[in-house]
Amino acid sequence: SGISEWLRFFRYTLGAKDYLSWGHFKSDLSQFHVRSLTTRKAQELLFQDPSWTKAVFLREPAERLLSGYLDKIAGTDWSTTRYGQNDTLSFADFVDLITKPKRTKCKAGHSAIDEITGLNTCTDPHFRPQMLSCGLDYLLPSFDFIGIFPHISEHTKMLLKKVRMWDDYGSKYDDGNGAEMGSLCYRPPPLREANFTPDGFNQLSRSKNRTTLHATQSSDKMDQYYTSELLAKVRKAY
């Protein structure tokens, strides 16, 4: 459950009828962007205002990298159309690229292939170390809640209870049986029986066969894709 799922949830709390559609470019989400605030207001929010809860969900880096590869490289034509390769990158070749030593700062006018060559703030966000996003490298100690992916259901519920959003929103959230979000177009939730009770947001344990957007089952494929050498290389880089 990455940012795409949370965007669905945020739009659900706004009452958006199409909350199950792809939410990244919906105009009603602009109010949730830190960049919509003035610099002064953002600083107050991040460093001074105790009424705001700062939360993050972290994922084991090697599994996260494999998940990103399966979704964005193996599962698309990005190798050829975006990164200019002759064929789909193998996982081993992808790891060789992403773990190359690289300068810590971005080059002006960098190309797409630079986004998967080495690790820095210009790396594609699907593969960039989480500590290089959202200022986590220096803000993490000030966060109020840190969840982890192996306990996404429990930790999501704990967070939403903490901010008093579970009873009104989290517990009533219907994800459409894990329906994929393939379109920006209007997508209403499915019709339900009168006695239907949704699992709630990010509550995966009650419906084992469900899938969510970008789900790759990477945790079950670690041994299939990683050799001990590749795993060591990735963990050292991250």
Side-chain angles (χ1 to χ4, degrees):
S1 174
I3 185 61
S4 297
E5 293 295 327
W6 281 94
L7 294 181
R8 296 172 93 175
F9 178 72
F10 290 148
R11 298 194 68 242
Y12 171 75
T13 68
L14 295 176
K17 300 299 183 185
D18 65 337
Y19 71 89
L20 289 179
S21 59
W22 203 57
H24 284 270
F25 301 107
K26 298 289 187 177
S27 60
D28 54 6
L29 282 173
S30 61
Q31 61 190 290
F32 293 108
H33 294 156
V34 174
R35 64 175 176 266
S36 69
L37 305 173
T38 64
T39 300
R40 185 171 185 174
K41 184 64 179 176
Q43 290 174 338
E44 288 178 5
L45 183 158
L46 293 171
F47 298 108
Q48 299 169 353
D49 189 344
S51 69
W52 286 83
T53 296
K54 297 184 286 294
V56 64
F57 284 82
L58 300 178
R59 189 173 189 178
E60 198 280 319
E63 181 189 329
R64 177 173 174 265
L65 183 67
L66 175 58
S67 179
Y69 169 81
L70 293 173
D71 184 44
K72 301 301 180 187
I73 305 295
T76 70
D77 60 359
W78 278 19
S79 290
T80 55
T81 61
R82 185 181 178 98
Y83 299 127
Q85 305 299 300
N86 293 326
D87 203 352
T88 299
L89 285 165
S90 70
F91 185 60
D93 288 341
F94 172 70
V95 168
D96 284 344
L97 270 176
I98 205 75
T99 59
K100 275 189 175 181
K102 188 173 182 180
R103 289 182 298 179
T104 56
K105 300 211 173 173
C106 301
K107 294 187 295 183
H110 68 276
S111 64
I113 194 65
D114 289 327
E115 296 177 1
I116 59 169
T117 305
L119 297 172
N120 65 14
T121 54
C122 279
T123 304
D124 184 300
H126 298 96
F127 315 121
R128 183 189 307 154
Q130 287 180 276
M131 294 301 287
L132 295 182
S133 297
C134 301
L136 289 179
D137 53 340
Y138 61 93
L139 287 177
L140 190 62
S142 69
F143 270 55
D144 306 293
F145 186 95
I146 300 173
I148 58 174
F149 264 65
H151 298 287
I152 190 74
S153 297
E154 306 97 306
H155 289 178
T156 295
K157 189 172 183 178
M158 287 171 60
L159 172 60
L160 293 182
K161 280 183 172 288
K162 177 180 174 64
V163 298
R164 300 179 183 178
M165 293 182 70
W166 176 255
D167 291 341
D168 290 338
Y169 299 106
S171 67
K172 298 174 181 176
Y173 182 84
D174 181 358
D175 74 347
N177 296 326
E180 286 282 356
M181 295 179 293
S183 172
L184 282 169
C185 298
Y186 179 76
R187 187 186 185 111
L191 295 175
R192 300 297 195 186
E193 299 291 336
N195 61 350
F196 172 76
T197 302
D199 286 348
F201 179 59
N202 267 355
Q203 301 307 295
L204 308 181
S205 60
R206 290 171 54 188
S207 303
K208 297 284 188 184
N209 294 326
R210 287 176 31 201
T211 58
T212 56
L213 183 67
H214 308 312
T216 60
Q217 287 75 51
S218 56
S219 61
D220 299 327
K221 299 176 181 177
M222 293 287 286
D223 291 341
Q224 178 183 345
Y225 282 87
Y226 275 109
T227 62
S228 58
E229 292 80 10
L230 276 183
L231 187 59
K233 181 184 288 189
V234 167
R235 287 182 170 162
K236 181 179 180 180
Y238 279 81

